[in-house]
Amino acid sequence: MCGIVGYNGSKKAVDILLDGLSKLEYRGYDSAGIAIRDNDIEVFKAKGKLSNLKEKIENKDLKGTCGIGHTRWATHGEPSEVNAHPHVSNDGNVTLVHNGIIENYQELILKLERHDYKLYSETDTEVLANIIDYYYKKYKMGPIDAINRTMVRVRGSYAIAVMFKEYPDEIWVARKDSPMIIGKNEDGTYLASDVPAILKYTKNVYYIDNLEAACLKKDKVIFYDLNGDEIQKELKEIKWDVSAAEKEGYEHFMIKEINEQPDVVKKTINSLVIDNKIDLSKTGLTVEEIKSFKQIYIVACGSAYHVGVCAQYILEDLTRVPVRVEIASEFRYRKPILDKKGLVIVISQSGETADSLAALREAKNQGVKTLGIINVVGSSIAREADHVLYTLAGPEIAVATTKAFSTQLIACYALAIEMGHVKRKINNKLYNNLINDLVKLPEQIEYILKNNTKNVQKISSKFSSIKDAFYIGRGLDYAISLEGSLKLKEVSYIHSEAYAAGELKHGTISLIEDGTLVIGIATQEEIFEKTISNLVEVKSRGAYVVVVAPEGVDVSKVANNTINVPITNKYFYPSLTVVPLQLIGYYITISKGLDVDKPRNLAKSVTVE
Ligand code: AGP
């Protein structure tokens, strides 16, 4: 889950590489490096954040107009300068940066040692550089042949950018399962793991597919298939604007993206509600297909999985179709028994999460229809799914997802309402009421941000030194408490658990003692009293109780603090209650002085298993 970038053109490469890497740091930030080609290839690496590398080269006059760069999230070999990328083959012939994991690298090391190669790092990537060099020297058929032979020989995931000593002014790239886009403008050609790295320079990009390679020259890009034959690619325009990848005056990307939710939720609703009707035509799903689904499987990871848990309640209620929600890393190896008349929905912000991609392929191998609910256009899952529903959150930079999560909820609501309607499980009156309530959500989220942020900030300031926290709720409130809990622990490093409120007394309530923070979400009318009595149980054992509840609902008898959200349809409360839960995670984290955008040990897109 690293970030790679490259430039070949008329401008000084060093500035473009460092700027690109700064936009990719959310993908990994334990070490970084660049290789610049002037007459010769010079490599500079540093442990730690990108600022350490910048410091190291600030007095160097690097004129080269061709170079590659990397920011790392360590998988093989600890974060260190030696293990940082770029890696160079034994005699300096091949210089390479890599995002992904080479699974059979141990076996390849033995092969290299049989041919007198010596390795200086613990990384699988250095092995890759030397294997390419091995084939380059053995067959003397040039870069594309060496790269293609390597792609056939290695197992795993990779996006690589390579510079060959004997091919000045050329950068070679190849990919399998790890993301890469290639850009072009009048100043040259660009490559990157993700859009924000090159958006400042060009919106014109090529999408390179799995097991394809390309040569980036100063004025053009040539693509090759695995046979080494040239293939044509269409230049596509990206719709995102540069500012989306900047902080725009906010202190952190996370709080900026939390505040972008009214806008992106509105955009996503407007793309799915046309003339007061749900329109899923962009997905390519026909009414007949939607009617035909007898079982729904939602497969995802992390927060996207939590969207799935919320969607299960709504989909089953409105469509009466059974829904199973699966953690992708378990689903892919569990040999799931899938109903051929089912629909597998894969939810992913990045569209590159390895486990979710593999789950999609598992479903396709079993001949089951697949729908991707995806935020990044042209990402692997988007390209491989039978149908795609794009969320319009724009680029999400903060590692902790917020706005993408909220747009994924909207996508699931729209799917549930439309499927319930075409299956005649909901009548026109309910259909119209649901749509009327749905289109009100953006202004209601705006209202919460305007009127609650200060209150939440005040409440959160009490908890910067806590060690544990619990989030509880029932039904959809339990589903959203899962996300609330993750939003706190992933950025604040405070241990937190989400629990179905009724489950506490079967064990975990023994952890509740004086001052234990318990955040209760209580929006679901039918089970409201039940949730309140569970909160009374923890309160009576000394818990400090914060309750998130609809306006006008009295929870004073149990709550030490109350956070109110506007009244909406029972199915849509996750879109409102998640906002104060995101803010709690944010404010507790910054009160601890932590880097909320780049939490330790995490990366935005998990492209390895
Ligand atoms: C959430 O804040 C995390 N970044 C993480 O749990 C994330 O949701 C998960 O890795 C899935 O990512 P995806 O949506 O890009 O597939």
Side-chain angles (χ1 to χ4, degrees), residues 300-306 346-354 356 373 381 396 398-402 404-405 408 483 486-487 490-491 602-606:
C301 301
S303 290
Y305 168 80
H306 297 154
V346 176
I347 305 176
S348 175
Q349 186 286 126
S350 62
E352 300 291 353
T353 301
S356 303
I373 294 181
I381 297 175
E396 190 174 62
V399 168
T401 185
T402 53
F405 180 92
Q408 289 159 355
E483 181 58 11
L486 180 61
K487 277 291 94 60
E490 71 175 317
V491 285
L602 288 181
K604 183 67 182 170
S605 170
V606 184

PDB file of all heavy atoms in Angstrom, residues 300-306 346-354 356 373 381 396 398-402 404-405 408 483 486-487 490-491 602-606, ligand 1:
ATOM      1  N   ALA A 300     -17.234  -6.519   1.670  1.00  0.00           N
ATOM      2  CA  ALA A 300     -16.387  -5.334   1.755  1.00  0.00           C
ATOM      3  C   ALA A 300     -15.441  -5.443   2.940  1.00  0.00           C
ATOM      4  O   ALA A 300     -15.434  -6.457   3.650  1.00  0.00           O
ATOM      5  CB  ALA A 300     -17.255  -4.077   1.907  1.00  0.00           C
ATOM      6  N   CYS A 301     -14.650  -4.394   3.149  1.00  0.00           N
ATOM      7  CA  CYS A 301     -13.691  -4.344   4.248  1.00  0.00           C
ATOM      8  C   CYS A 301     -13.871  -3.049   5.045  1.00  0.00           C
ATOM      9  O   CYS A 301     -14.306  -2.044   4.499  1.00  0.00           O
ATOM     10  CB  CYS A 301     -12.264  -4.349   3.716  1.00  0.00           C
ATOM     11  SG  CYS A 301     -11.850  -5.772   2.714  1.00  0.00           S
ATOM     12  N   GLY A 302     -13.516  -3.097   6.317  1.00  0.00           N
ATOM     13  CA  GLY A 302     -13.471  -1.902   7.157  1.00  0.00           C
ATOM     14  C   GLY A 302     -14.778  -1.127   7.170  1.00  0.00           C
ATOM     15  O   GLY A 302     -15.871  -1.697   7.346  1.00  0.00           O
ATOM     16  N   SER A 303     -14.662   0.173   6.931  1.00  0.00           N
ATOM     17  CA  SER A 303     -15.855   1.025   6.965  1.00  0.00           C
ATOM     18  C   SER A 303     -16.844   0.656   5.880  1.00  0.00           C
ATOM     19  O   SER A 303     -18.063   0.744   6.063  1.00  0.00           O
ATOM     20  CB  SER A 303     -15.431   2.486   6.797  1.00  0.00           C
ATOM     21  OG  SER A 303     -14.748   2.919   7.944  1.00  0.00           O
ATOM     22  N   ALA A 304     -16.346   0.224   4.746  1.00  0.00           N
ATOM     23  CA  ALA A 304     -17.240  -0.163   3.656  1.00  0.00           C
ATOM     24  C   ALA A 304     -18.097  -1.354   4.092  1.00  0.00           C
ATOM     25  O   ALA A 304     -19.276  -1.460   3.759  1.00  0.00           O
ATOM     26  CB  ALA A 304     -16.428  -0.510   2.408  1.00  0.00           C
ATOM     27  N   TYR A 305     -17.509  -2.239   4.897  1.00  0.00           N
ATOM     28  CA  TYR A 305     -18.266  -3.369   5.452  1.00  0.00           C
ATOM     29  C   TYR A 305     -19.372  -2.845   6.363  1.00  0.00           C
ATOM     30  O   TYR A 305     -20.497  -3.339   6.360  1.00  0.00           O
ATOM     31  CB  TYR A 305     -17.332  -4.312   6.223  1.00  0.00           C
ATOM     32  CG  TYR A 305     -18.037  -5.340   7.068  1.00  0.00           C
ATOM     33  CD1 TYR A 305     -18.559  -6.498   6.514  1.00  0.00           C
ATOM     34  CD2 TYR A 305     -18.192  -5.146   8.445  1.00  0.00           C
ATOM     35  CE1 TYR A 305     -19.222  -7.429   7.283  1.00  0.00           C
ATOM     36  CE2 TYR A 305     -18.856  -6.073   9.231  1.00  0.00           C
ATOM     37  CZ  TYR A 305     -19.370  -7.221   8.642  1.00  0.00           C
ATOM     38  OH  TYR A 305     -20.039  -8.136   9.422  1.00  0.00           O
ATOM     39  N   HIS A 306     -19.079  -1.786   7.123  1.00  0.00           N
ATOM     40  CA  HIS A 306     -20.090  -1.205   8.023  1.00  0.00           C
ATOM     41  C   HIS A 306     -21.260  -0.616   7.224  1.00  0.00           C
ATOM     42  O   HIS A 306     -22.406  -0.682   7.659  1.00  0.00           O
ATOM     43  CB  HIS A 306     -19.457  -0.139   8.914  1.00  0.00           C
ATOM     44  CG  HIS A 306     -18.411  -0.676   9.832  1.00  0.00           C
ATOM     45  ND1 HIS A 306     -17.384   0.102  10.323  1.00  0.00           N
ATOM     46  CD2 HIS A 306     -18.189  -1.933  10.306  1.00  0.00           C
ATOM     47  CE1 HIS A 306     -16.596  -0.649  11.077  1.00  0.00           C
ATOM     48  NE2 HIS A 306     -17.056  -1.879  11.089  1.00  0.00           N
ATOM     49  N   VAL A 346     -20.150  -5.384  -4.079  1.00  0.00           N
ATOM     50  CA  VAL A 346     -18.845  -5.108  -3.470  1.00  0.00           C
ATOM     51  C   VAL A 346     -18.759  -3.598  -3.272  1.00  0.00           C
ATOM     52  O   VAL A 346     -18.886  -2.838  -4.222  1.00  0.00           O
ATOM     53  CB  VAL A 346     -17.686  -5.605  -4.348  1.00  0.00           C
ATOM     54  CG1 VAL A 346     -16.343  -5.212  -3.736  1.00  0.00           C
ATOM     55  CG2 VAL A 346     -17.763  -7.114  -4.532  1.00  0.00           C
ATOM     56  N   ILE A 347     -18.604  -3.182  -2.010  1.00  0.00           N
ATOM     57  CA  ILE A 347     -18.532  -1.754  -1.689  1.00  0.00           C
ATOM     58  C   ILE A 347     -17.067  -1.390  -1.425  1.00  0.00           C
ATOM     59  O   ILE A 347     -16.384  -2.082  -0.649  1.00  0.00           O
ATOM     60  CB  ILE A 347     -19.386  -1.412  -0.459  1.00  0.00           C
ATOM     61  CG1 ILE A 347     -20.831  -1.862  -0.640  1.00  0.00           C
ATOM     62  CG2 ILE A 347     -19.323   0.080  -0.155  1.00  0.00           C
ATOM     63  CD1 ILE A 347     -21.721  -1.637   0.577  1.00  0.00           C
ATOM     64  N   SER A 348     -16.569  -0.351  -2.086  1.00  0.00           N
ATOM     65  CA  SER A 348     -15.180   0.049  -1.869  1.00  0.00           C
ATOM     66  C   SER A 348     -14.973   1.500  -2.297  1.00  0.00           C
ATOM     67  O   SER A 348     -15.341   1.871  -3.406  1.00  0.00           O
ATOM     68  CB  SER A 348     -14.230  -0.852  -2.662  1.00  0.00           C
ATOM     69  OG  SER A 348     -12.897  -0.388  -2.540  1.00  0.00           O
ATOM     70  N   GLN A 349     -14.367   2.300  -1.426  1.00  0.00           N
ATOM     71  CA  GLN A 349     -14.057   3.687  -1.797  1.00  0.00           C
ATOM     72  C   GLN A 349     -12.985   3.681  -2.890  1.00  0.00           C
ATOM     73  O   GLN A 349     -13.161   4.176  -3.986  1.00  0.00           O
ATOM     74  CB  GLN A 349     -13.553   4.447  -0.557  1.00  0.00           C
ATOM     75  CG  GLN A 349     -13.305   5.922  -0.709  1.00  0.00           C
ATOM     76  CD  GLN A 349     -12.043   6.315  -1.515  1.00  0.00           C
ATOM     77  OE1 GLN A 349     -12.158   7.067  -2.452  1.00  0.00           O
ATOM     78  NE2 GLN A 349     -10.909   5.758  -1.181  1.00  0.00           N
ATOM     79  N   SER A 350     -11.888   3.011  -2.610  1.00  0.00           N
ATOM     80  CA  SER A 350     -10.739   3.060  -3.533  1.00  0.00           C
ATOM     81  C   SER A 350     -10.958   2.197  -4.775  1.00  0.00           C
ATOM     82  O   SER A 350     -10.397   2.452  -5.818  1.00  0.00           O
ATOM     83  CB  SER A 350      -9.501   2.539  -2.798  1.00  0.00           C
ATOM     84  OG  SER A 350      -9.727   1.183  -2.416  1.00  0.00           O
ATOM     85  N   GLY A 351     -11.757   1.129  -4.619  1.00  0.00           N
ATOM     86  CA  GLY A 351     -11.930   0.212  -5.738  1.00  0.00           C
ATOM     87  C   GLY A 351     -10.690  -0.634  -5.974  1.00  0.00           C
ATOM     88  O   GLY A 351     -10.582  -1.322  -6.982  1.00  0.00           O
ATOM     89  N   GLU A 352      -9.743  -0.574  -5.023  1.00  0.00           N
ATOM     90  CA  GLU A 352      -8.477  -1.299  -5.188  1.00  0.00           C
ATOM     91  C   GLU A 352      -8.172  -2.244  -4.034  1.00  0.00           C
ATOM     92  O   GLU A 352      -7.155  -2.902  -4.017  1.00  0.00           O
ATOM     93  CB  GLU A 352      -7.328  -0.296  -5.326  1.00  0.00           C
ATOM     94  CG  GLU A 352      -7.435   0.653  -6.509  1.00  0.00           C
ATOM     95  CD  GLU A 352      -7.265  -0.026  -7.859  1.00  0.00           C
ATOM     96  OE1 GLU A 352      -6.927  -1.225  -7.852  1.00  0.00           O
ATOM     97  OE2 GLU A 352      -7.502   0.623  -8.881  1.00  0.00           O
ATOM     98  N   THR A 353      -9.050  -2.287  -3.025  1.00  0.00           N
ATOM     99  CA  THR A 353      -8.792  -3.126  -1.849  1.00  0.00           C
ATOM    100  C   THR A 353      -8.667  -4.584  -2.272  1.00  0.00           C
ATOM    101  O   THR A 353      -9.614  -5.162  -2.820  1.00  0.00           O
ATOM    102  CB  THR A 353      -9.909  -2.933  -0.817  1.00  0.00           C
ATOM    103  OG1 THR A 353      -9.933  -1.540  -0.463  1.00  0.00           O
ATOM    104  CG2 THR A 353      -9.701  -3.777   0.406  1.00  0.00           C
ATOM    105  N   ALA A 354      -7.508  -5.171  -2.005  1.00  0.00           N
ATOM    106  CA  ALA A 354      -7.188  -6.506  -2.546  1.00  0.00           C
ATOM    107  C   ALA A 354      -8.229  -7.556  -2.173  1.00  0.00           C
ATOM    108  O   ALA A 354      -8.700  -8.309  -3.025  1.00  0.00           O
ATOM    109  CB  ALA A 354      -5.812  -6.932  -2.055  1.00  0.00           C
ATOM    110  N   SER A 356     -11.353  -7.189  -1.324  1.00  0.00           N
ATOM    111  CA  SER A 356     -12.657  -6.941  -1.962  1.00  0.00           C
ATOM    112  C   SER A 356     -12.590  -7.301  -3.444  1.00  0.00           C
ATOM    113  O   SER A 356     -13.538  -7.874  -4.005  1.00  0.00           O
ATOM    114  CB  SER A 356     -13.041  -5.469  -1.774  1.00  0.00           C
ATOM    115  OG  SER A 356     -13.058  -5.158  -0.381  1.00  0.00           O
ATOM    116  N   ILE A 373     -20.099  -0.803  -5.762  1.00  0.00           N
ATOM    117  CA  ILE A 373     -20.451   0.554  -5.319  1.00  0.00           C
ATOM    118  C   ILE A 373     -19.105   1.200  -5.015  1.00  0.00           C
ATOM    119  O   ILE A 373     -18.464   0.885  -4.009  1.00  0.00           O
ATOM    120  CB  ILE A 373     -21.386   0.532  -4.106  1.00  0.00           C
ATOM    121  CG1 ILE A 373     -22.728  -0.072  -4.489  1.00  0.00           C
ATOM    122  CG2 ILE A 373     -21.559   1.950  -3.543  1.00  0.00           C
ATOM    123  CD1 ILE A 373     -23.751  -0.134  -3.368  1.00  0.00           C
ATOM    124  N   ILE A 381     -11.835  -2.685  -9.231  1.00  0.00           N
ATOM    125  CA  ILE A 381     -13.142  -3.293  -8.967  1.00  0.00           C
ATOM    126  C   ILE A 381     -14.189  -2.700  -9.909  1.00  0.00           C
ATOM    127  O   ILE A 381     -15.040  -3.400 -10.457  1.00  0.00           O
ATOM    128  CB  ILE A 381     -13.550  -3.109  -7.486  1.00  0.00           C
ATOM    129  CG1 ILE A 381     -12.568  -3.832  -6.569  1.00  0.00           C
ATOM    130  CG2 ILE A 381     -14.975  -3.616  -7.242  1.00  0.00           C
ATOM    131  CD1 ILE A 381     -12.808  -3.607  -5.084  1.00  0.00           C
ATOM    132  N   GLU A 396     -10.835  11.194  -1.830  1.00  0.00           N
ATOM    133  CA  GLU A 396     -10.830  11.192  -0.357  1.00  0.00           C
ATOM    134  C   GLU A 396      -9.395  10.935   0.081  1.00  0.00           C
ATOM    135  O   GLU A 396      -8.835   9.886  -0.186  1.00  0.00           O
ATOM    136  CB  GLU A 396     -11.776  10.121   0.194  1.00  0.00           C
ATOM    137  CG  GLU A 396     -12.014  10.226   1.694  1.00  0.00           C
ATOM    138  CD  GLU A 396     -13.063   9.245   2.181  1.00  0.00           C
ATOM    139  OE1 GLU A 396     -12.827   8.021   2.038  1.00  0.00           O
ATOM    140  OE2 GLU A 396     -14.115   9.682   2.679  1.00  0.00           O
ATOM    141  N   ALA A 398      -7.914  11.775   3.447  1.00  0.00           N
ATOM    142  CA  ALA A 398      -7.714  11.318   4.826  1.00  0.00           C
ATOM    143  C   ALA A 398      -7.875   9.796   4.873  1.00  0.00           C
ATOM    144  O   ALA A 398      -8.764   9.240   4.226  1.00  0.00           O
ATOM    145  CB  ALA A 398      -8.736  11.965   5.761  1.00  0.00           C
ATOM    146  N   VAL A 399      -6.995   9.120   5.605  1.00  0.00           N
ATOM    147  CA  VAL A 399      -7.053   7.657   5.662  1.00  0.00           C
ATOM    148  C   VAL A 399      -8.396   7.184   6.235  1.00  0.00           C
ATOM    149  O   VAL A 399      -9.000   6.245   5.752  1.00  0.00           O
ATOM    150  CB  VAL A 399      -5.879   7.103   6.497  1.00  0.00           C
ATOM    151  CG1 VAL A 399      -6.079   5.631   6.804  1.00  0.00           C
ATOM    152  CG2 VAL A 399      -4.568   7.323   5.770  1.00  0.00           C
ATOM    153  N   ALA A 400      -8.882   7.896   7.244  1.00  0.00           N
ATOM    154  CA  ALA A 400     -10.180   7.542   7.828  1.00  0.00           C
ATOM    155  C   ALA A 400     -11.292   8.046   6.916  1.00  0.00           C
ATOM    156  O   ALA A 400     -11.443   9.242   6.708  1.00  0.00           O
ATOM    157  CB  ALA A 400     -10.326   8.152   9.215  1.00  0.00           C
ATOM    158  N   THR A 401     -12.060   7.116   6.363  1.00  0.00           N
ATOM    159  CA  THR A 401     -13.103   7.534   5.427  1.00  0.00           C
ATOM    160  C   THR A 401     -14.256   8.202   6.170  1.00  0.00           C
ATOM    161  O   THR A 401     -14.614   7.811   7.276  1.00  0.00           O
ATOM    162  CB  THR A 401     -13.647   6.340   4.625  1.00  0.00           C
ATOM    163  OG1 THR A 401     -14.570   6.821   3.639  1.00  0.00           O
ATOM    164  CG2 THR A 401     -14.340   5.336   5.515  1.00  0.00           C
ATOM    165  N   THR A 402     -14.818   9.239   5.552  1.00  0.00           N
ATOM    166  CA  THR A 402     -15.995   9.931   6.093  1.00  0.00           C
ATOM    167  C   THR A 402     -16.989  10.197   4.966  1.00  0.00           C
ATOM    168  O   THR A 402     -18.029   9.565   4.886  1.00  0.00           O
ATOM    169  CB  THR A 402     -15.579  11.264   6.761  1.00  0.00           C
ATOM    170  OG1 THR A 402     -14.802  12.016   5.821  1.00  0.00           O
ATOM    171  CG2 THR A 402     -14.804  11.024   8.041  1.00  0.00           C
ATOM    172  N   ALA A 404     -16.883   9.462   1.750  1.00  0.00           N
ATOM    173  CA  ALA A 404     -17.152   8.310   0.880  1.00  0.00           C
ATOM    174  C   ALA A 404     -18.140   7.365   1.557  1.00  0.00           C
ATOM    175  O   ALA A 404     -19.070   6.847   0.928  1.00  0.00           O
ATOM    176  CB  ALA A 404     -15.858   7.582   0.553  1.00  0.00           C
ATOM    177  N   PHE A 405     -17.986   7.183   2.870  1.00  0.00           N
ATOM    178  CA  PHE A 405     -18.892   6.343   3.655  1.00  0.00           C
ATOM    179  C   PHE A 405     -20.323   6.845   3.491  1.00  0.00           C
ATOM    180  O   PHE A 405     -21.246   6.084   3.199  1.00  0.00           O
ATOM    181  CB  PHE A 405     -18.486   6.374   5.135  1.00  0.00           C
ATOM    182  CG  PHE A 405     -19.351   5.548   6.052  1.00  0.00           C
ATOM    183  CD1 PHE A 405     -19.016   4.238   6.337  1.00  0.00           C
ATOM    184  CD2 PHE A 405     -20.488   6.077   6.632  1.00  0.00           C
ATOM    185  CE1 PHE A 405     -19.811   3.460   7.180  1.00  0.00           C
ATOM    186  CE2 PHE A 405     -21.291   5.313   7.480  1.00  0.00           C
ATOM    187  CZ  PHE A 405     -20.954   3.999   7.751  1.00  0.00           C
ATOM    188  N   GLN A 408     -21.750   6.139   0.132  1.00  0.00           N
ATOM    189  CA  GLN A 408     -22.048   4.709  -0.053  1.00  0.00           C
ATOM    190  C   GLN A 408     -23.396   4.360   0.582  1.00  0.00           C
ATOM    191  O   GLN A 408     -24.163   3.553   0.055  1.00  0.00           O
ATOM    192  CB  GLN A 408     -20.927   3.856   0.553  1.00  0.00           C
ATOM    193  CG  GLN A 408     -19.618   3.894  -0.216  1.00  0.00           C
ATOM    194  CD  GLN A 408     -18.416   3.481   0.615  1.00  0.00           C
ATOM    195  OE1 GLN A 408     -18.519   3.231   1.837  1.00  0.00           O
ATOM    196  NE2 GLN A 408     -17.247   3.441  -0.016  1.00  0.00           N
ATOM    197  N   GLU A 483     -19.286   1.779  12.945  1.00  0.00           N
ATOM    198  CA  GLU A 483     -18.486   2.803  12.250  1.00  0.00           C
ATOM    199  C   GLU A 483     -17.977   3.859  13.223  1.00  0.00           C
ATOM    200  O   GLU A 483     -16.825   4.285  13.161  1.00  0.00           O
ATOM    201  CB  GLU A 483     -19.298   3.448  11.121  1.00  0.00           C
ATOM    202  CG  GLU A 483     -18.564   4.506  10.329  1.00  0.00           C
ATOM    203  CD  GLU A 483     -17.277   4.045   9.667  1.00  0.00           C
ATOM    204  OE1 GLU A 483     -17.025   2.820   9.634  1.00  0.00           O
ATOM    205  OE2 GLU A 483     -16.492   4.900   9.223  1.00  0.00           O
ATOM    206  N   LEU A 486     -14.976   2.453  14.969  1.00  0.00           N
ATOM    207  CA  LEU A 486     -13.785   2.413  14.108  1.00  0.00           C
ATOM    208  C   LEU A 486     -13.211   3.806  13.882  1.00  0.00           C
ATOM    209  O   LEU A 486     -12.002   4.017  13.925  1.00  0.00           O
ATOM    210  CB  LEU A 486     -14.116   1.766  12.756  1.00  0.00           C
ATOM    211  CG  LEU A 486     -12.954   1.675  11.764  1.00  0.00           C
ATOM    212  CD1 LEU A 486     -11.806   0.826  12.316  1.00  0.00           C
ATOM    213  CD2 LEU A 486     -13.420   1.130  10.411  1.00  0.00           C
ATOM    214  N   LYS A 487     -14.104   4.795  13.723  1.00  0.00           N
ATOM    215  CA  LYS A 487     -13.652   6.177  13.478  1.00  0.00           C
ATOM    216  C   LYS A 487     -12.822   6.685  14.657  1.00  0.00           C
ATOM    217  O   LYS A 487     -11.891   7.446  14.526  1.00  0.00           O
ATOM    218  CB  LYS A 487     -14.852   7.109  13.252  1.00  0.00           C
ATOM    219  CG  LYS A 487     -15.365   7.085  11.818  1.00  0.00           C
ATOM    220  CD  LYS A 487     -14.492   7.682  10.783  1.00  0.00           C
ATOM    221  CE  LYS A 487     -13.564   6.721  10.064  1.00  0.00           C
ATOM    222  NZ  LYS A 487     -14.103   5.631   9.325  1.00  0.00           N
ATOM    223  N   GLU A 490      -9.271   4.108  14.961  1.00  0.00           N
ATOM    224  CA  GLU A 490      -8.267   4.109  13.879  1.00  0.00           C
ATOM    225  C   GLU A 490      -7.456   5.394  13.836  1.00  0.00           C
ATOM    226  O   GLU A 490      -6.324   5.394  13.354  1.00  0.00           O
ATOM    227  CB  GLU A 490      -8.924   3.824  12.526  1.00  0.00           C
ATOM    228  CG  GLU A 490      -9.783   4.924  11.969  1.00  0.00           C
ATOM    229  CD  GLU A 490     -10.287   4.577  10.561  1.00  0.00           C
ATOM    230  OE1 GLU A 490      -9.498   4.070   9.762  1.00  0.00           O
ATOM    231  OE2 GLU A 490     -11.486   4.798  10.305  1.00  0.00           O
ATOM    232  N   VAL A 491      -7.985   6.499  14.400  1.00  0.00           N
ATOM    233  CA  VAL A 491      -7.228   7.755  14.362  1.00  0.00           C
ATOM    234  C   VAL A 491      -6.711   8.176  15.742  1.00  0.00           C
ATOM    235  O   VAL A 491      -5.694   8.852  15.847  1.00  0.00           O
ATOM    236  CB  VAL A 491      -8.068   8.902  13.741  1.00  0.00           C
ATOM    237  CG1 VAL A 491      -8.160   8.725  12.248  1.00  0.00           C
ATOM    238  CG2 VAL A 491      -9.448   9.013  14.356  1.00  0.00           C
ATOM    239  N   LEU A 602      -1.543   2.606   9.256  1.00  0.00           N
ATOM    240  CA  LEU A 602      -2.660   2.481   8.321  1.00  0.00           C
ATOM    241  C   LEU A 602      -2.305   3.067   6.963  1.00  0.00           C
ATOM    242  O   LEU A 602      -1.344   3.823   6.840  1.00  0.00           O
ATOM    243  CB  LEU A 602      -3.887   3.204   8.872  1.00  0.00           C
ATOM    244  CG  LEU A 602      -4.591   2.564  10.054  1.00  0.00           C
ATOM    245  CD1 LEU A 602      -5.797   3.414  10.443  1.00  0.00           C
ATOM    246  CD2 LEU A 602      -5.014   1.136   9.721  1.00  0.00           C
ATOM    247  N   ALA A 603      -3.109   2.731   5.973  1.00  0.00           N
ATOM    248  CA  ALA A 603      -2.959   3.334   4.652  1.00  0.00           C
ATOM    249  C   ALA A 603      -4.356   3.428   4.034  1.00  0.00           C
ATOM    250  O   ALA A 603      -5.246   2.676   4.410  1.00  0.00           O
ATOM    251  CB  ALA A 603      -2.051   2.493   3.775  1.00  0.00           C
ATOM    252  N   LYS A 604      -4.521   4.354   3.119  1.00  0.00           N
ATOM    253  CA  LYS A 604      -5.849   4.624   2.571  1.00  0.00           C
ATOM    254  C   LYS A 604      -6.397   3.464   1.758  1.00  0.00           C
ATOM    255  O   LYS A 604      -7.575   3.128   1.814  1.00  0.00           O
ATOM    256  CB  LYS A 604      -5.779   5.874   1.696  1.00  0.00           C
ATOM    257  CG  LYS A 604      -7.096   6.310   1.109  1.00  0.00           C
ATOM    258  CD  LYS A 604      -8.037   6.771   2.183  1.00  0.00           C
ATOM    259  CE  LYS A 604      -9.405   7.200   1.729  1.00  0.00           C
ATOM    260  NZ  LYS A 604     -10.330   7.400   2.818  1.00  0.00           N
ATOM    261  N   SER A 605      -5.554   2.844   0.972  1.00  0.00           N
ATOM    262  CA  SER A 605      -6.057   1.777   0.110  1.00  0.00           C
ATOM    263  C   SER A 605      -5.218   0.526   0.354  1.00  0.00           C
ATOM    264  O   SER A 605      -4.025   0.514   0.140  1.00  0.00           O
ATOM    265  CB  SER A 605      -5.947   2.245  -1.337  1.00  0.00           C
ATOM    266  OG  SER A 605      -6.198   1.190  -2.199  1.00  0.00           O
ATOM    267  N   VAL A 606      -5.855  -0.528   0.840  1.00  0.00           N
ATOM    268  CA  VAL A 606      -5.159  -1.734   1.260  1.00  0.00           C
ATOM    269  C   VAL A 606      -5.071  -2.683   0.071  1.00  0.00           C
ATOM    270  O   VAL A 606      -5.944  -3.515  -0.152  1.00  0.00           O
ATOM    271  CB  VAL A 606      -5.897  -2.366   2.459  1.00  0.00           C
ATOM    272  CG1 VAL A 606      -5.133  -3.562   2.977  1.00  0.00           C
ATOM    273  CG2 VAL A 606      -6.112  -1.344   3.556  1.00  0.00           C
TER     274      VAL A 606
HETATM  275  C1  AGP B   1     -11.748   3.376   7.057  1.00  0.00           C
HETATM  276  O1  AGP B   1     -11.655   4.615   7.609  1.00  0.00           O
HETATM  277  C2  AGP B   1     -10.520   2.753   6.672  1.00  0.00           C
HETATM  278  N1  AGP B   1      -9.771   3.572   5.836  1.00  0.00           N
HETATM  279  C3  AGP B   1     -10.680   1.349   6.131  1.00  0.00           C
HETATM  280  O2  AGP B   1     -11.374   0.595   7.072  1.00  0.00           O
HETATM  281  C4  AGP B   1     -11.404   1.249   4.785  1.00  0.00           C
HETATM  282  O3  AGP B   1     -12.763   1.458   4.946  1.00  0.00           O
HETATM  283  C5  AGP B   1     -11.169  -0.156   4.230  1.00  0.00           C
HETATM  284  O4  AGP B   1      -9.790  -0.329   4.073  1.00  0.00           O
HETATM  285  C6  AGP B   1     -11.885  -0.352   2.903  1.00  0.00           C
HETATM  286  O5  AGP B   1     -11.347   0.498   1.951  1.00  0.00           O
HETATM  287  P1  AGP B   1     -12.114   0.686   0.548  1.00  0.00           P
HETATM  288  O6  AGP B   1     -13.456   1.299   0.837  1.00  0.00           O
HETATM  289  O7  AGP B   1     -11.219   1.578  -0.256  1.00  0.00           O
HETATM  290  O8  AGP B   1     -12.250  -0.687  -0.055  1.00  0.00           O
END
